[in-house]
Each structure stands twice: as structure tokens, then as C-alpha cells.
């Protein structure tokens, strides 16, 4: 069966129609988890694990706020291995290279994985075809929607929580493993059949918390839930690469010419060096023209905290803190507001953060002549990421801009057709590269506004031809033969399939 | 870096074989430039080669790169009237055999060069003069400062001679690549004295230099309005007319024409009047 983007998808699943198809659908909500009278404190993670009576076929969920430093998912993994429970579905919001799940996949303790982003050994193990069931990749907002609708039914959520109080309330704001907001855990906490908070800091009473004890079945205190070095990065730096800086400057000029950097505007960028360079270039325009924005959202870095503190934004809407400055600000500044993944990007959420964005700056591993973007697989079919909030923000924002060099390691990023569609081209408006800017022909309004631009506006085909002239046309690497999973769009429809990598 | 030399919007890119290349690496550098010029499909809009001084053994080897037919001009270090004329003679022979012309851009970086400035600038083929601030200060045994007061006179003289002969007056680079404000002030100073361009030593300096030396949207719009009004006035037989309450005469019309020529040269689009 093929979907509207001509991608082969598994029979029996809902094919992707369009990025706005969800507007014709009803929001489905399963009943929230019944309130618990009292959260139980278990003497060990093993005691809690056994008390949850975990059986084959169950779904266990985790969040990824502790990122590379997360030890909770590994500790639960060791218990799955110890009790050799087979046929589990694991639903972490993301999977990092440090997560030791490969052996569990090979031994079929884990037979299905639902997540929004993964790379490293687990991704490689799946790409080699070792996962007995399928890998289902969602967007951050789509995961929240799938949980609230019951499509992703979670039996037990093991939620790492940097600080808990004696009533069972939990927060990420401080503690020795502080990670800031726990936005990705909120849906799990609200809808999972059982919720266990795993923490290494206990206080008598928390004045404010994101996870209320009423949905918490159990609390476990462990020595450490995470390695602080892996939880938050050091201060994220703006790139000094001249190419990255040129792309950033051109992007800011483009935004200025489009007239979107004006009082009350809202924006989101990633946390990488070039994304921060765009933010920096936008900041300079704001200072020069005395512009004050409404909010910045998404994963928040110290750079945005500085902009908030300088009065350049009224609020930060933070679904994930990326560095220590962001964690500190989230803890202390009332205008730095933690939001859930649902409030961030659930298509059915009223006034989600992504729907209120004026523009978003995103990356791409590949982008094709129809502006479809791949951030899931590389040129060889290896899984190297996933949507995260890519497809959510691309749809919600009024203007979606991809910034990228024309080649990465001599491999062109513009392709005739991307290997995997993560974000549909109908939601991608502009590609900014070091040698030219391409506007999606669907956005005639933007083309009109930029008709007298000083910037080098080209068609995406012209940019592709230029890339071929510089780097040559790469030999096509065919997809693998075995389907290993699929990508769900935000509304749960299937936008593309995943195949094993021909590399293996 | 060489492979992306075309992307930063410089009006020309100077490939240096002189001071930035160690004496033992000169041949390798020439090979690298040759391979790039012959192999890369996209080159900067103008390619300038800064060669070694004429009294070095590398000078003649450097000039052999002209045979690639990808070089638009030669930048001559520590230029004198004699060395500039000698280069022009040599280039004339090359031009005859290769069937194309080459620009000469002498670098004015010695006190003695200023004594010969007009003669250097008058040599056939010279399309611009570059002020070499560091070497000039070194030759003069004076300190190079951020404010650049020590360069007022050389800048002004170079700018006047260049203007009189209709060639570019290219300002010396600003050395601190992290000091955006210093660069802008330096460029404004040079521009105010009549310099028409400025060399950059890092890609991030290019937009800041363009911001100073390219005509702004407001200037272009003003110039367009002046020239449009002049057309109407000319039809009515008026030599002097008013625009927005201000008298417009020939010097102002000439200024408007110069701005439009610069806009065309720098490929700056003409903005539309706001309704």
C-alpha cells in the first residue's frame, strides 16, 4: 500500500494523507489514570519492578531528560535481563548511544520499540534486523497524542525524577541530577497504568513540582539516576565556522526581509552551533530595531536564557533543558515555563507552542526536490536520529526554514528523493545553504516578498545541479530488503517505512 | 577553505603566495592553487593572485599560474614604479599569448611607494591600489593602532590619486577578526577619506565591509527618485528642479548616478518605493 507521498507502507495501517488531515479527526482521550491514595516508597528498584508484575507483552516507558547520562533505563534493562522477561515493548521518548538495550533486543526480551529519536548501538542493532517486531518512530507531539488516545498504551512508566518529596511529588528542577523541565514525561505520568518515580534526591516537601503524587504509584530512591556530565551539556557555543556563520547571517537577513522579526514574534531553533548562530543573528536584529518577542520555545539553552534575561522575550516555553544555565533558569525564573510534550506539539492540543510559532529553524540530513526532509536515516540507511519535534514544529510554524551546507562529508544533502521522509515537503518552506536559498514553490507569498531580495534566491533544482557540479553525483545506495519499522506522522498515519541498512 | 572561497560574496578573492606561505611551502601552495583553479567548478567572481616580490626566485614561478586562464589579476607586493612597469610589460606579453587581460593591483606599503604613487597608479593595467597598513607602519617605524589615526594621510593620498585616475582605492585589512565594532569603525574611517573598498582577512568580515562600502537601500531609493525626477525635469527643459522640497542640481544628479552605478556593480537590487 502506498500513501499520498508515494511511499510504501505496511498494509492495515493508516496511510499518511496530508499534514493537516488531523483537522478532520476527533481528538481521542482515554481516561486519565485513577488517582492513587498514597504513593508507596519501595526499598529498591528491583522491589518496585517485581511489584509491577511485569509480564511478556507489556509496554514500559521512559523519558529521555537525562539524555546520555540516564542510568534508570539501564537499571530497568538489567532487571528485564535478570528476570528474562520476553516480548516487551519499550517506549522511551528517545534512545541515546549510552542506553544498553542491544542485548535485550537480540535475546528478544524487547521485541518492539516506540520512540521519537534514536542513534548509536541500539539503532545499529535494529538496522541490522535484530528487532523481532517493529520500530515505530513518532514525533514528540505525536507520542503525546498516541499516549492520550490509547494507541500507545503504557503498562508501567519508569520515570527518572531528579527530586521527589515524601508525598511522591516529583520535579526535575534541582537535585544532584537536575535536568530542568520533565516535559516529555507528562503524558506517561498522566496515562500510564502504573507510574514509578525513580530518584536520588528526597526532600520533605516540594513547593512546586511538575509530576503530582496523585498519579504516582511508587517511588524508588537509588544512589544515582544519572551521570550529570551526560545529562546537561556545558555551555553550548555559537559556531565559529565561517560557512555556518554565513548561513546564519543569510537566514537572519531573510527573516528581516520577510518582516517576521517584529514585536510579539515567536521563534524556535535547535541547540547546535549554527542554530545558535541564527539566534544570535536574530538577537542582533532585535537589539538594533528594539524588538521584543513573545516567546522562544523547544529545547532551551543558556543562550535563550540570556535573551530572556535581557528582556528580548516575554517567556521561554521549555520542553527540555539543554544546559545548566537553562536548568537554573527553569528553577528560578517564573517566565521560564516548563511545558509538556503535548502542550508543545500535540496536533490536537489547543494553542500548542508549535502552532504559535512565527518561524522555526531546523536541520536536515537530506532534503529532496519536493522539500521532503529526512532526519531519520543517513545516505547509507543507518538510523541516525528521528523527528523529535521536527515534523511538529515544521507544521505548526508559519515559516519553516531548513539551514544546511550543500554537502556534508562530500555527500549532497539535496536529493532527487530522500531515503526516508520524516517531515513532508508541504510543511517545509525555505532551504538556506551557503551557496543559495531555495523557496518552496508552494509558498508563492514568500517568493513574492523576496522578489527584490539581495539574497541569492535559486530553485532547489538549481542548488542540486550546483551541488553535483561541485561534489559529483553520488552513486545511489539501494534500500535494504527487510522492513524493520515505520515512521508515524503526528496524527498517527504512516508517512514512511524503515528498512534494514544495506551497510550490514 | 579554498573550496568555499566563492560563497562569501567577496567581490574578488586574493590567493596569497607571499607572506602567509612558508618559504619551504611555496611550490606546494602553487600546486594547490593550480589544482583548485583547474578543478573546482565554481570559482569566486574575480580571482587575484598575490605573488611573491619580484626580487625573489618564486616570483616567476608564481606568474606561471596565469597559464591556468583562471586568474583575473596580480597583486604586487611592495610595489615601486619600476616593479609595476616590469610586471605590466610581462603581463602584456602574456595577454598577447593567452588572449586575455589581467588587472594589476600594486600594494602600497613602503614610504618610498608614496613618492611614486601617481606613476605607479598610472601604469597601464593598474585597476586599483591596495594600502598595506602593517608593512607601511613597520617601514615608518610607527605603531599600528585600532583607531588608525596613523593611516589618515596614506589613506587620503591613496584615495585621491585613485579617484583622479579612476581606479579602486582598496583599504588595508583590519587585523582583529573578533572585533566587529573596530572593523566597522575602521571601514567607516577609510570610506570617509575616499577609499572605495577594503580587504578582508576572514570571511566574517565581508558582510561588515559590504555594509559600509555598498550603497544602502535608502541611498539607492533616493538615487532612483532623483534620476526619475531628472528625466521628468529634462522633458520640461529644467536643469535645476526640486524633489521633496530640496533643490537638485548637477552635482547631486552626478552623485545619484554614481550610487546607481555602484548598486549595479555590487549587484544590489533596486528596492521598491513604499506605498
Amino acid at each position: 500500500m502506498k500513501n499520498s507521498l508515494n511511499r510504501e507502507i505496511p498494509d492495515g495501517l493508516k496511510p499518511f494523507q496530508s499534514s493537516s488531515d488531523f483537522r478532520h479527526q476527533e481528538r481521542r482521550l482515554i481516561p486519565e489514570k485513577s488517582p492513587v491514595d498514597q504513593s508507596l516508597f519501595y526499598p529498591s528498584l528491583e522491589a518496585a519492578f517485581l511489584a509491577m508484575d511485569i509480564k511478556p507483552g507489556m509496554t514500559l516507558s521512559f523519558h529521555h531528560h537525562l539524555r546520555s547520562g540516564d542510568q534508570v533505563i539501564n537499571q530497568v534493562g538489567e532487571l528485564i535481563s535478570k528476570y528474562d522477561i520476553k516480548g516487551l515493548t519499550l517506549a522511551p521518548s528517545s534512545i541515546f548511544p549510552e542506553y544498553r538495550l542491544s542485548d535485550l533486543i537480540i535475546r528478544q526480551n524487547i521485541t518492539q520499540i516506540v520512540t521519537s529519536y534514536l542513534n548509536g548501538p541500539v539503532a545499529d542493532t535494529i538496522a541490522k534486523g535484530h528487532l523481532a517486531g517493529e520500530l515505530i518512530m513518532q514525533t514528540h507531539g505525536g507520542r503525546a497524542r498516541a499516549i492520550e488516545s490509547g494507541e500507545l498504551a503504557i503498562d508501567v512508566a519508569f520515570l527518572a525524577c531528579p527530586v521527589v518529596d515524601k508525598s511522591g511529588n516529583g520535579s526535575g528542577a534541582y537535585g544532584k541530577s537536575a535536568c530542568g523541565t520533565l516535559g516529555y514525561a507528562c503524558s506517561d505520568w498522566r496515562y500510564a497504568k502504573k507510574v514509578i518515580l525513580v530518584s536520588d534526591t528526597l526532600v520533605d516537601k516540594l513547593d512546586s513540582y511538575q509530576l503530582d503524587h496523585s498519579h504516582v504509584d511508587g517511588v524508588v530512591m537509588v544512589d544515582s539516576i544519572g551521570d550529570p556530565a551526560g545529562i546537561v551539556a556545558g555551555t553550548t557555543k555559537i559556531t565559529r565556522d565561517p560557512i555556518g556563520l554565513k548561513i546564519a547571517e543569510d537566514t537572519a537577513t531573510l527573516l528581516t526581509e520577510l518582516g517576521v522579526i517584529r514585536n510579539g514574534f515567536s521563534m524556535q531553533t535547535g541547540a547546535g552551533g549554527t542554530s545558535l548562530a541564527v539566534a544570535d543573528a536574530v538577537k542582533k536584529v532585535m537589539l538594533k530595531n528594539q524588538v521584543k518577542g513573545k516567546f522562544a520555545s523547544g529545547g532551551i539553552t543558556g543562550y535563550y536564557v540570556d535573551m530572556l534575561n535581557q528582556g528580548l522575550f516575554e517567556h521561554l516555553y521549555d520542553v527540555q533543558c539543554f544546559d545548566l544555565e537553562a536548568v537554573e533558569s527553569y528553577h528560578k525564573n517564573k517566565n521560564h515555563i516548563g511545558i509538556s510534550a503535548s502542550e508543545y506539539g500535540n496536533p490536537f492540543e489547543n494553542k500548542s507552542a508549535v502552532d504559535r510559532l512565527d518561524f522555526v529553524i531546523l536541520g536536515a540530513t537530506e532534503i529532496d526536490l519536493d522539500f521532503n526532509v529526512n532526519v531519520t536515516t543517513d545516505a547509507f540507511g543507518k538510523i541516525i536520529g528521528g523527528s523529535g519535534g521536527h515534523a511538529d514544529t515544521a507544521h505548526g510554524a508559519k515559516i519553516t526554514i531548513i539551514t544546511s551546507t550543500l554537502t556534508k562529508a562530500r555527500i549532497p544533502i539535496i536529493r532527487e528523493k530522500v531515503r526516508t521522509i520524516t517531515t513532508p515537503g508541504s510543511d517545509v518552506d525555505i532551504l538556506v545553504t551557503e551557496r543559495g536559498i531555495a523557496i518552496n514553490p508552494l509558498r508563492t507569498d514568500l517568493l513574492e516578498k523576496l522578489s527584490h531580495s539581495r539574497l541569492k534566491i535559486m530553485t532547489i533544482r538549481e542548488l542540486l545541479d550546483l551541488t553535483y557540479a561541485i561534489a559529483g553525483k553520488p552513486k545511489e545506495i539501494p534500500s535494504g530488503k527487510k522492513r524493520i519499522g515505520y515512521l508515524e506522522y503526528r496524527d498517527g498515519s504512516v508517512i514512511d517505512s524503515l528498512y534494514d541498512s544495506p551497510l550490514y | 577553505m579554498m573550496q568555499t572561497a566563492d560563497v562569501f560574496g567577496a567581490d574578488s578573492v586574493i590567493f596569497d603566495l607571499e607572506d602567509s606561505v612558508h618559504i619551504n611551502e611555496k611550490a606546494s601552495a602553487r600546486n594547490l592553487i593550480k589544482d583548485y583553479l583547474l578543478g573546482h567548478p565554481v570559482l569566486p567572481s574575480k580571482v587575484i593572485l598575490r605573488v611573491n616580490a619580484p626580487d625573489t626566485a618564486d616570483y616567476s614561478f608564481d606568474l606561471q599560474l596565469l597559464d591556468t586562464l583562471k586568474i583575473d589579476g596580480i597583486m604586487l607586493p611592495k610595489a615601486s614604479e619600476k616593479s609595476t612597469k616590469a610586471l605590466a610589460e610581462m603581463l602584456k606579453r602574456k595577454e598577447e599569448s593567452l588572449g586575455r587581460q589581467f588587472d594589476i593591483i600594486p600594494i602600497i606599503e613602503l614610504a618610498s611607494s608614496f613618492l611614486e604613487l601617481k606613476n605607479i597608479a598610472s601604469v597601464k593595467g593598474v585597476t586599483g591600489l591596495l594600502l598595506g597598513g602593517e608593512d607601511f607602519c613597520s617601514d615608518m617605524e610607527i605603531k599600528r593602532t585600532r583607531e588608525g589615526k596613523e593611516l589618515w594621510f596614506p589613506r587620503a593620498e591613496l584615495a585621491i590619486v585613485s579617484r583622479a585616475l579612476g581606479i579602486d582605492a582598496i583599504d588595508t585589512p583590519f587585523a582583529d577578526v573578533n572585533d566587529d565594532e573596530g572593523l566597522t569603525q575602521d571601514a567607516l574611517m577609510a570610506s570617509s577619506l575616499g577609499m572605495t573598498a577594503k580587504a578582508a582577512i576572514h570571511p566574517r568580515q565581508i558582510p561588515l565591509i559590504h555594509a559600509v562600502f555598498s550603497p544602502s537601500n535608502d541611498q539607492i531609493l533616493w538615487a532612483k527618485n532623483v534620476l526619475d525626477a531628472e528625466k521628468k525635469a529634462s522633458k520640461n527643459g529644467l536643469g535645476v528642479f526640486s524633489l521633496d522640497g530640496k533643490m537638485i542640481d548637477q552635482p547631486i544628479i552626478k552623485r545619484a548616478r554614481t550610487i546607481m552605478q555602484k548598486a549595479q556593480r555590487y549587484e544590489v537590487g533596486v528596492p521598491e518605493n513604499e506605498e
Side-chain angles (χ1 to χ4, degrees):
Chain A
M1 180 169 57
K2 287 193 172 176
N3 65 18
S4 66
L5 299 173
N6 208 30
R7 296 287 166 142
E8 195 68 47
I9 67 158
D11 288 337
L13 294 175
K14 184 178 154 190
F16 173 85
Q17 294 289 331
S18 77
S19 63
S20 55
D21 195 52
F22 70 90
R23 296 188 199 286
H24 309 299
Q25 302 166 26
E26 287 286 319
R27 185 175 192 174
R28 288 185 294 134
L29 292 168
I30 59 173
E32 283 190 26
K33 182 177 182 339
S34 304
V36 292
D37 293 335
Q38 193 175 6
S39 307
L40 294 175
F41 276 70
Y42 291 96
S44 66
L45 185 59
E46 185 165 7
F49 184 86
L50 292 172
M52 292 301 104
D53 194 21
I54 294 165
K55 292 186 170 67
M58 279 188 164
T59 296
L60 311 184
S61 81
F62 306 84
H63 67 71
H64 71 279
H65 285 284
L66 304 187
R67 309 199 305 164
S68 296
D70 194 323
Q71 290 171 10
V72 171
I73 194 166
N74 289 333
Q75 289 166 8
V76 172
E78 285 165 14
L79 293 167
I80 293 170
S81 179
K82 180 177 177 179
Y83 291 98
D84 197 24
I85 301 166
K86 302 283 189 188
L88 292 172
T89 293
L90 229 64
S93 49
S94 291
I95 295 176
F96 283 73
E98 291 75 12
Y99 297 1
R100 298 188 296 272
L101 305 173
S102 292
D103 286 346
L104 297 172
I105 293 167
I106 291 166
R107 294 202 303 264
Q108 298 196 8
N109 299 103
I110 298 168
T111 51
Q112 182 167 262
I113 289 182
V114 186
T115 191
S116 302
Y117 183 98
L118 78 163
N119 59 23
V122 176
D124 293 344
T125 301
I126 296 170
K128 286 175 186 169
H130 288 302
L131 187 68
E134 293 203 284
L135 170 66
I136 302 168
M137 299 201 65
Q138 302 173 321
T139 72
H140 283 326
R143 181 178 188 271
R145 179 209 56 78
I147 292 171
E148 71 176 23
S149 67
E151 282 176 28
L152 176 56
I154 298 167
D155 292 293
V156 186
F158 287 97
L159 303 180
C161 198
V163 60
V164 292
D165 69 15
K166 289 181 176 172
S167 301
N169 302 303
S171 167
Y174 61 99
K176 62 183 179 184
S177 306
C179 62
T181 175
L182 293 171
Y184 295 124
C186 295
S187 296
D188 309 53
W189 164 83
R190 193 178 295 278
Y191 293 104
K193 292 184 186 109
K194 296 284 182 187
V195 172
I196 300 292
L197 299 190
V198 185
S199 185
D200 52 16
T201 302
L202 177 65
V203 297
D204 287 340
K205 189 173 184 304
L206 282 168
D207 292 328
S208 64
Y209 38 82
Q210 221 169 354
L211 307 180
D212 182 280
H213 72 277
S214 62
H215 288 186
V216 176
D217 297 275
V219 178
V220 181
M221 299 307 301
V222 295
D223 291 339
S224 172
I225 58 169
D227 173 8
I231 296 172
V232 284
T235 305
T236 319
K237 298 266 196 248
I238 295 168
T239 185
R240 292 194 57 77
D241 167 37
I243 295 286
L245 288 171
K246 175 180 164 46
I247 290 171
E249 292 290 342
D250 284 354
T251 305
T253 304
L254 180 84
L255 290 165
T256 305
E257 290 186 359
L258 290 172
V260 292
I261 307 175
R262 59 183 187 276
N263 281 324
F265 84 101
S266 54
M267 67 180 280
Q268 180 171 328
T269 68
T274 302
S275 290
L276 288 183
V278 175
D280 187 56
V282 169
K283 176 184 167 182
K284 284 176 184 157
V285 176
M286 293 171 79
L287 288 168
K288 183 181 167 196
N289 299 335
Q290 295 185 308
V291 169
K292 181 168 184 173
K294 189 89 177 161
F295 72 87
S297 66
I300 296 295
T301 63
Y303 196 81
Y304 279 102
V305 170
D306 288 343
M307 290 176 82
L308 176 70
N309 292 338
Q310 288 173 47
L312 294 174
F313 286 111
E314 290 175 22
H315 296 105
L316 298 180
Y317 293 127
D318 187 349
V319 72
Q320 179 185 18
C321 298
F322 275 123
D323 56 26
L324 287 169
E325 291 90 337
V327 173
E328 181 77 4
S329 169
Y330 168 70
H331 181 37
K332 292 184 173 167
N333 190 335
K334 64 179 172 47
N335 292 321
H336 185 153
I337 298 163
I339 57 172
S340 69
S342 189
E343 292 166 322
Y344 171 61
N346 183 343
F348 293 106
E349 192 75 48
N350 190 24
K351 292 183 179 172
S352 68
V354 300
D355 283 349
R356 289 185 286 149
L357 283 170
D358 285 303
F359 64 88
V360 63
I361 311 294
L362 296 168
T365 308
E366 296 178 330
I367 179 167
D368 67 21
L369 296 175
D370 295 321
F371 285 78
N372 297 307
V373 171
N374 173 17
V375 288
T376 305
T377 53
D378 68 8
F380 303 100
K382 277 183 72 171
I383 300 166
I384 44 87
S387 172
H390 200 285
D392 299 316
T393 49
H395 183 76
K398 292 182 185 71
I399 299 173
T400 296
I401 299 173
I402 305 293
T403 56
S404 177
T405 50
L406 275 182
T407 60
K408 289 177 182 170
R410 291 189 64 82
I411 297 173
I413 71 130
I414 304 176
R415 313 303 302 263
E416 312 261 343
K417 292 283 175 198
V418 292
R419 179 179 289 271
T420 307
I421 298 178
T422 312
T423 298
S426 57
D427 285 346
V428 177
D429 304 314
I430 300 172
L431 168 66
V432 181
T433 74
E434 73 277 25
R435 284 192 164 85
I437 295 171
I439 314 290
N440 190 331
L442 297 173
R443 292 300 301 264
T444 51
D445 57 328
L446 300 180
L447 283 164
E448 174 66 25
K449 276 187 179 172
L450 295 167
S451 57
H452 297 290
S453 174
R454 288 182 177 207
L455 296 164
K456 198 170 182 182
I457 309 289
M458 304 166 73
T459 67
I460 196 163
R461 165 56 82 178
E462 287 169 335
L463 278 174
L464 175 63
D465 291 342
L466 181 60
T467 313
Y468 284 163
I470 293 167
K473 188 173 181 178
K475 188 180 164 190
E476 283 299 324
I477 298 168
S479 283
K481 298 270 190 294
K482 182 188 173 190
R483 200 183 70 233
I484 57 170
Y486 55 89
L487 277 69
E488 274 187 9
Y489 187 64
R490 337 174 47 210
D491 63 354
S493 62
V494 179
I495 192 165
D496 210 343
S497 295
L498 284 166
Y499 297 90
D500 58 339
S501 170
L503 271 189
Y504 301 119
Chain B
M1 195 63 170
M2 206 182 262
Q3 288 177 333
T4 54
D6 62 296
V7 309
F8 297 103
D11 299 301
S12 61
V13 172
I14 304 160
F15 292 88
D16 185 23
L17 288 169
E18 198 210 11
D19 287 350
S20 63
V21 180
H22 188 274
I23 192 154
N24 296 335
E25 295 293 332
K26 301 283 186 188
S28 301
R30 278 190 292 271
N31 286 336
L32 198 63
I33 291 173
K34 186 178 175 184
D35 287 349
Y36 165 74
L37 293 176
L38 293 176
H40 204 264
V42 194
L43 296 178
S45 52
K46 206 164 193 180
V47 174
I48 305 292
L49 190 68
R50 182 162 87 157
V51 293
N52 287 284
D55 59 356
T56 64
D58 286 296
Y59 179 68
S60 58
F61 292 118
D62 295 348
L63 290 172
Q64 286 175 13
L65 286 174
L66 291 169
D67 295 340
T68 60
L69 298 177
K70 304 287 184 182
I71 291 169
D72 300 291
I74 297 294
M75 188 166 270
L76 183 68
K78 297 183 177 59
S80 64
E81 182 181 354
K82 187 180 165 194
S83 66
T84 308
K85 281 182 172 168
L87 175 63
E89 273 302 309
M90 201 283 296
L91 288 181
K92 192 179 167 195
R93 290 194 294 277
K94 278 279 181 193
E95 285 168 0
E96 283 166 6
S97 64
L98 297 175
R100 59 167 301 174
Q101 289 193 314
F102 301 105
D103 292 345
I104 300 173
I105 302 174
I107 309 178
I108 308 302
E109 50 192 340
L110 298 173
S112 58
S113 303
F114 278 90
L115 298 179
E116 305 177 327
L117 195 55
K118 186 183 150 198
N119 294 343
I120 292 171
S122 302
V123 172
K124 192 163 183 283
V126 171
T127 56
L129 300 174
L130 174 78
L131 176 63
E134 287 297 334
D135 279 313
F136 174 77
C137 288
S138 175
D139 191 38
M140 291 291 291
E141 297 184 14
I142 55 177
K143 192 180 173 190
R144 178 92 193 268
T145 66
R146 183 175 184 264
E147 291 71 27
K149 283 181 185 172
E150 66 281 1
L151 294 180
W152 280 5
F153 177 75
R155 276 170 166 160
E157 182 165 18
L158 193 147
I160 291 166
V161 169
S162 300
R163 182 70 185 164
L165 293 170
I167 60 175
D168 285 325
I170 309 164
D171 193 37
T172 187
F174 186 74
D176 187 347
V177 297
N178 294 315
D179 184 0
D180 292 355
E181 179 57 27
L183 169 63
T184 298
Q185 290 306 320
D186 196 52
L188 285 168
M189 162 78 75
S191 171
S192 73
L193 291 169
M195 304 296 279
T196 55
K198 188 170 178 66
I201 53 168
H202 193 279
R204 68 193 303 264
Q205 294 184 324
I206 294 168
L208 296 169
I209 291 172
H210 279 176
V212 172
F213 288 96
S214 303
S216 67
N217 276 354
D218 285 348
Q219 286 176 312
I220 297 167
L221 203 53
W222 171 83
K224 182 174 178 285
N225 289 341
V226 168
L227 296 179
D228 286 349
E230 188 220 2
K231 266 187 201 167
K232 281 183 195 166
S234 179
K235 275 184 189 168
N236 296 327
L238 298 174
V240 178
F241 56 96
S242 69
L243 180 70
D244 299 331
K246 287 178 185 166
M247 189 187 82
I248 306 293
D249 56 9
Q250 282 308 310
I252 292 178
I253 292 167
K254 192 178 172 195
R255 199 169 134 220
R257 284 207 181 100
T258 305
I259 289 172
M260 293 306 280
Q261 282 164 1
K262 271 192 185 177
Q264 200 171 15
R265 182 176 170 189
Y266 296 129
E267 296 180 350
V268 178
V270 178
E272 289 188 343
N273 281 306
E274 284 182 21
E275 294 301 324

